[in-house]
Amino acid sequence: MTGTPTTATTAAPPAVEMRGIEKSFSGTPVLTGVDFTLAPGEVHALAGGNGAGKSTLMKILQGVHRPDGGTIAVGGREVSLTSTAAAETAGIGMVFQEFSLVPTLSVARNVFLNHEPLRRGLIDDAAMVRRAGEILAGMGVDLDPRREVAGLPTGYWQLTEIAKALALDARVLIMDEPTASLTKTESEALFALIRRLKERGVSIVYISHRMEEIYQICDRITVLRDGGVVLSQPLADLTPERIVEAIVGRRMESALAWQERPAAPGPDAPPLLEVRGLCSGAVVQDVSFTLRAGEILGLAGLMGSGRTELARVIFGIDRPEAGEILLRGEPAGITNPRIAIAKGIALVPEDRRRQGLVLEHSVRENLLLPVLGGLTRGGVVDDRRGDGIVTRLVERLRIRLVSPKRPVRLLSGGNQQKVVLGKWLGRDPDVLILDEPTAGVDIGTKTEMIQHIRELADAGKAVIVISSELAELLAVSDRVLVLRGGAVTADLDRREIPDEESLQLAIQGVRT
């Protein structure tokens, strides 16, 4: 037999191969025989509803949890990831959604935290700054490693987190909702960095609820539901509708489709809330608007535009320097949150874990916190009435839990968000201010939250919604107030905004 001899080639082993992963907590199965494979130089999306098992699977890969069954191989070699140190040794790094940086330290100090280069037994600051600079330069990031983290924009915090992982020579990066705190420009810079890392052969697990990001940056997607894999395919072979169906387990109408609400009040309806000439430092500048019962007002703007700061002033967290707030035509006299709550105003804050919940307390205790005064007689809480309120709120918001007596920190992000909303619904407020109410929640929970907001408005509540997701803002609002530099630049009827691009131009101050 003659001819040109052939040379056998061996394909590179997977960067990560997890087979038959099992995990239960307190006898409750969380992962049931999960298979997950990450190829070298691949950006692999991991999606699923809140509570689907994504975080548990990645914590097993990170060495935080030990699996009850199954195997893990990294680079073709089976490993036992019994600790985060073992995962780091295997070349696995984690970029957290909630930053793990020390703000008072420099970028270099954060990058090498707990594994600082030493010289004669002392920390070698010069070597640390030089090596941090080399890592940042390799990432294509122009940043002085001597800068203190506290003085940097949020986007640079995220880049510092990535540099921290790369300093450990990570060949696998787990990114958990990495754009949750980033502006559009910062997100684009992150995507450019991900592409450069991919070219260098770094493999990335990308956890996100944002479908447009997944299609923009990822090669494949694996969807978990109820602890098992229900879909794992190249993104090029899938439509967004097919992915959403896999996540929620059923076909569903788009959560972001807007329909004019027949119950929405007209412009002649009397205002429930009026804000006149409100000023607070440089972040709220002469803001005026009205809000009617049954109306949903969206607040749009870039980060730093004053949206959250305006909400804080209305709720009494910050004191205004000028202007006034009226409720039903009368001065509200709001000087602190206690007065705002008594007047029927509630605020669901942007950071649910730090500002909206007491994480070590139970779901029950969190839901009853704003109404404890009304449940207490002679220093004793009426547990029967309290249990009734909790049961109604859990059923109304469809909060998934094992028991309301378990700590709220054990719930998924979407269910925690429902608890933050639910605790205020127990007081039946007239005005609700919702700051990023669907941040970090899956498409199914987002659909439910948007529906709850519409139902609250239909019941006569006045609702303010702050959101960085323009499609969501357009889906739920009757009017949109655009802020820039702390001032109102546009007050738009939803019917005047044909699409996201038009709202984006309004936010940027571009006239069409």
Side-chain angles (χ1 to χ4, degrees), residues 339-352:
I339 294 174
I341 294 168
K343 296 280 187 178
I345 300 176
L347 170 65
V348 174
E350 179 180 11
D351 190 335
R352 60 176 174 257

Side-chain angles (χ1 to χ4, degrees), residues 282-454:
V283 291
V284 179
Q285 293 290 312
D286 194 25
V287 172
S288 299
F289 67 87
T290 60
L291 181 63
R292 299 165 179 82
E295 185 176 33
I296 303 172
L297 176 68
L299 293 189
L302 301 174
M303 289 183 68
S305 62
R307 299 170 305 168
T308 294
E309 291 79 6
L310 176 60
R312 288 171 59 91
V313 174
I314 296 172
F315 193 60
I317 298 173
D318 299 327
R319 296 286 293 272
E321 297 172 0
E324 61 179 342
I325 301 169
L326 295 89
L327 284 169
R328 299 182 182 84
E330 299 292 330
I334 298 171
T335 57
N336 58 57
R338 188 182 298 274
I339 294 174
I341 294 168
K343 296 280 187 178
I345 300 176
L347 170 65
V348 174
E350 179 180 11
D351 190 335
R352 60 176 174 257
R353 294 180 66 85
R354 290 189 178 92
Q355 301 169 340
L357 297 169
V358 184
L359 292 174
E360 295 305 318
H361 286 198
S362 68
V363 173
R364 181 184 188 277
E365 290 166 334
N366 275 274
L367 285 172
L368 294 180
L369 195 59
V371 298
L372 274 180
L375 294 175
T376 304
R377 294 290 183 272
V380 179
V381 176
D382 187 337
D383 286 330
R384 180 175 293 181
R385 284 183 59 206
D387 289 342
I389 292 172
V390 169
T391 298
R392 287 193 295 273
L393 289 173
V394 168
E395 291 176 351
R396 177 179 178 182
L397 296 174
R398 295 189 286 278
I399 302 172
R400 295 181 59 185
L401 43 73
V402 175
S403 166
K405 296 182 179 179
R406 298 187 72 192
V408 73
R409 63 177 171 79
L410 298 179
L411 295 184
S412 65
N415 284 299
Q416 287 180 359
Q417 190 74 342
K418 290 180 181 181
V419 172
V420 179
L421 175 62
K423 76 177 191 180
W424 290 117
L425 296 187
R427 287 193 66 90
D428 194 28
D430 297 318
V431 179
L432 287 103
I433 307 171
L434 311 177
D435 195 350
E436 301 287 359
T438 68
V441 304
D442 64 88
I443 186 67
T445 303
K446 179 175 293 191
T447 302
E448 292 180 21
M449 292 294 289
I450 288 175
Q451 187 58 39
H452 290 316
I453 294 170
R454 289 169 175 159

Side-chain angles (χ1 to χ4, degrees), residues 41-269:
E42 177 184 53
V43 183
H44 195 134
L46 183 61
N50 294 109
K54 305 185 302 294
S55 295
T56 301
L57 184 66
M58 288 300 101
K59 285 180 179 178
I60 288 173
L61 183 58
Q62 193 193 354
V64 175
H65 298 322
R66 294 191 184 187
D68 298 331
T71 62
I72 303 173
V74 177
R77 297 180 59 184
E78 190 168 322
V79 294
S80 178
L81 303 178
T82 56
S83 66
T84 54
E88 289 174 359
T89 300
I92 298 168
M94 178 79 182
V95 180
F96 296 92
Q97 175 184 355
E98 293 162 352
F99 300 121
S100 62
L101 305 178
V102 181
T104 54
L105 296 182
S106 69
V107 170
R109 285 270 184 167
N110 272 282
V111 168
F112 288 98
L113 194 63
N114 295 327
H115 55 97
E116 297 86 352
L118 302 177
R119 183 181 183 186
R120 297 175 183 173
L122 300 175
I123 293 175
D124 189 340
D125 282 303
M128 186 162 52
V129 169
R130 184 182 68 254
R131 288 169 59 183
E134 291 170 353
I135 293 169
L136 291 166
M139 292 166 55
V141 176
D142 183 14
L143 174 62
D144 185 346
R146 295 167 293 188
R147 290 276 303 274
E148 185 179 287
V149 166
L152 297 173
T154 307
Y156 284 102
W157 286 51
Q158 188 67 273
L159 295 172
T160 302
E161 284 277 11
I162 296 171
K164 187 176 176 182
L166 294 178
L168 297 169
D169 196 28
R171 304 301 297 167
V172 173
L173 282 180
I174 305 167
M175 294 188 173
D176 185 7
E177 297 285 352
T179 63
S181 302
L182 303 185
T183 64
K184 183 178 180 62
T185 301
E186 290 168 341
S187 296
E188 292 296 336
L190 175 64
F191 296 156
L193 172 58
I194 289 173
R195 293 185 185 101
R196 290 195 295 272
L197 292 174
K198 179 180 174 180
E199 290 171 359
R200 288 169 45 188
V202 176
S203 303
I204 297 171
V205 182
Y206 193 90
I207 304 172
S208 178
H209 293 301
R210 297 179 176 179
M211 198 67 66
E212 68 279 6
E213 290 183 4
I214 289 174
Y215 272 93
Q216 185 173 351
I217 201 66
C218 299
D219 304 302
R220 291 178 59 85
I221 186 169
T222 292
V223 176
L224 299 183
R225 189 173 71 243
D226 297 330
V229 175
V230 294
L231 180 70
S232 188
Q233 289 181 229
L235 274 162
D237 298 340
L238 295 167
T239 63
E241 292 77 15
R242 176 70 185 91
I243 295 172
V244 170
E245 183 181 344
I247 291 171
V248 301
R250 65 185 187 279
R251 290 187 177 275
M252 60 191 306
E253 295 181 6
S254 172
L256 305 181
W258 182 76
Q259 294 180 346
E260 188 173 353
R261 295 185 306 110
D268 297 329

